[in-house]
Amino acid sequence: MRDALLELLVDPVDRTAVHLTNIERDASGEIVEGRLAGSRGRGFDITRYIPRFVTTTDAGQRQTEQSFAFKWQQQHTYGSPGMLERSRQWLVARYGFESADDMRRFMASRPRVLDAGCGSGFSTSLWMDGGWNGSLWVGADISEAIDVARARLGGVTNTHFVQADVLQLPFRAGTFDVIFSEGVLHHTPSTERAFRALVDLLAPGGEIMAYIYRRKGPVREFTDDHIRAALSTLSAEDAWAALRPLTALGQSLAELHAEVDVPEDIPLLGIRAGRYDVQRLVYWHFAKLFWNADYSFEENNHVNFDWYHPAYAHRHTDAEIRGWCAEAQLAITHFDAQDSGYTVRARRT
């Protein structure tokens, strides 16, 4: 833990100040081990360079935490050049930037940036790679994926790492000029509550940037819930193995290279008229059987695991997200709608 982080931190339960005790530093002066003590007797450990603030007892949140800790530690399943480049292009375009350089310049122009639910630092690395001269970036994640994030980004100047729950982050109100939360809020007990918790941390004029899952058609929604109910009770290792046949089916459908015409809209199933690749028709409307030929089998299985194993994976509508922004007095500056989800940027007025 670097000393500059301390001025931002509070007890996440009662919002009072914390101070360092019993610290051990490395040769560079960074805090390796220690404790953050609150004014009311509560304390939080610093281990392996990272302060740990998670206090939730919610069973679903704990399961989701363990799921993502496992997923992000499987670094061989999401780091190929093909996956990195496709992910970078998709991320940058959804948030309304011309390039990764453009997004990096925007982030660096803001004094304090929070990646809320940073996982292994994968999404931030897509725009931060190539250099970072910003004044302060903080990655926070509920799971031990935060250790992977530090290994990935800890060598970058002015980066900091915290293990904490998005619903109960240990930061002072109004701290951050940008809060980036890529595909995270829907993995909490309440997407709306998580959104509001982040808004409280925005400085005046600060901007929240978030990606939130979109509600799908009725058959796909049923299948999603059915599979998740079965897999979320399994260990991460067993769920990963159980998903391989679904991933293999996605591969087989994609390798048909077949298309089908839907002659007219089917409102009862949420299907629009048009010509579809067979795998994509199944994927969007019946079951998420992700397959991309540029990825390895395990990378494709990673994407399906990401969707199906976490106990919490809420889906929402355009109207809901716009409503949250209006109620929080946020001005929407960019809104991207795709079949998979909504990407919103909104500024605190």
Side-chain angles (χ1 to χ4, degrees):
M1 173 181 154
R2 292 167 173 155
D3 288 306
L5 180 64
L6 182 61
E7 67 181 80
L8 310 183
L9 297 176
V10 295
D11 183 318
V13 179
D14 61 24
R15 320 305 298 170
T16 57
V18 293
H19 62 275
L20 292 166
T21 63
N22 302 321
I23 62 171
E24 174 189 336
R25 296 180 184 269
D26 66 12
S28 72
E30 191 168 352
I31 299 167
V32 183
E33 306 284 336
R35 192 161 174 83
L36 287 160
S39 60
R40 301 184 184 179
R42 216 177 347 264
F44 306 92
D45 291 332
I46 303 169
T47 61
R48 304 187 303 277
Y49 292 91
I50 297 172
R52 318 280 175 168
F53 290 96
V54 179
T55 61
T56 183
T57 58
D58 182 284
Q61 192 67 74
R62 282 294 186 182
Q63 187 276 345
T64 301
E65 170 194 348
Q66 293 161 11
S67 178
F68 280 102
F70 173 84
K71 182 193 78 168
W72 288 122
Q73 289 172 30
Q74 312 309 305
Q75 295 185 62
H76 65 288
T77 70
Y78 61 89
S80 72
M83 190 172 193
L84 287 170
E85 188 52 36
R86 182 180 184 276
S87 298
R88 180 179 292 110
Q89 291 176 4
W90 191 57
L91 178 94
V92 167
R94 283 190 292 105
Y95 283 99
F97 295 101
E98 293 182 0
S99 65
D101 287 343
D102 186 28
M103 188 169 181
R104 183 167 56 252
R105 284 192 294 270
F106 171 82
M107 294 293 195
S109 71
R110 271 52 182 178
R112 290 175 174 173
V113 177
L114 171 66
D115 186 338
C118 66
S120 69
F122 178 76
S123 293
T124 278
S125 74
L126 297 174
W127 59 261
M128 188 180 281
D129 282 355
W132 162 252
N133 60 357
S135 56
L136 185 141
W137 174 94
V138 180
D141 198 82
I142 194 172
S143 79
E144 290 189 357
I146 194 67
D147 294 275
V148 184
R150 184 182 178 277
R152 180 192 291 269
L153 300 173
V156 179
T157 304
N158 299 328
T159 57
H160 305 268
F161 305 88
V162 172
Q163 187 175 1
D165 183 351
V166 167
L167 284 168
Q168 203 172 52
L169 288 169
F171 304 116
R172 303 178 190 279
T175 292
F176 295 99
D177 302 282
V178 171
I179 298 178
F180 174 70
S181 191
E182 169 65 6
V184 175
L185 306 183
H186 44 240
H187 289 307
T188 67
S190 167
T191 311
E192 182 178 4
R193 274 203 299 130
F195 183 84
R196 290 179 176 276
L198 294 187
V199 171
D200 288 343
L201 300 180
L202 277 178
E207 187 169 5
I208 187 169
M209 306 168 64
Y211 172 69
I212 297 169
Y213 287 152
R214 181 176 188 160
R215 189 173 299 162
K216 314 298 190 297
V219 180
R220 170 69 193 271
E221 286 289 315
F222 172 84
T223 307
D224 286 344
D225 289 339
H226 173 75
I227 297 175
R228 181 171 292 106
L231 293 187
S232 62
T233 63
L234 302 180
S235 70
E237 293 85 352
D238 288 346
W240 191 280
L243 277 164
R244 286 195 175 105
L246 279 79
T247 302
L249 177 56
Q251 179 181 10
S252 294
L253 290 171
E255 290 176 352
L256 290 173
H257 301 293
E259 294 186 337
V260 61
D261 283 315
V262 177
E264 57 185 294
D265 290 347
I266 311 174
L268 291 173
L269 296 179
I271 302 175
R272 296 185 296 271
R275 189 163 182 82
Y276 292 83
D277 175 271
V278 168
Q279 187 266 336
R280 302 309 284 173
L281 179 66
V282 172
Y283 176 89
W284 287 121
H285 300 291
F286 298 98
K288 177 165 179 154
L289 307 175
F290 182 85
W291 184 260
N292 185 309
D294 293 332
Y295 297 180
S296 70
F297 186 91
E298 289 300 281
E299 286 178 322
N300 281 284
N301 206 56
H302 172 112
V303 175
N304 288 321
F305 179 92
D306 172 85
W307 180 258
Y308 281 122
H309 188 243
Y312 291 138
H314 310 296
R315 286 84 72 190
H316 297 279
T317 65
D318 177 308
E320 284 179 294
I321 296 166
R322 291 181 184 277
W324 301 341
C325 291
E327 290 170 11
Q329 298 185 337
L330 300 176
I332 294 174
T333 58
H334 176 81
F335 197 96
D336 178 87
Q338 299 192 12
D339 289 336
S340 57
Y342 300 105
T343 306
V344 60
R345 292 173 58 181
R347 184 174 296 120
R348 189 169 193 172
T349 58

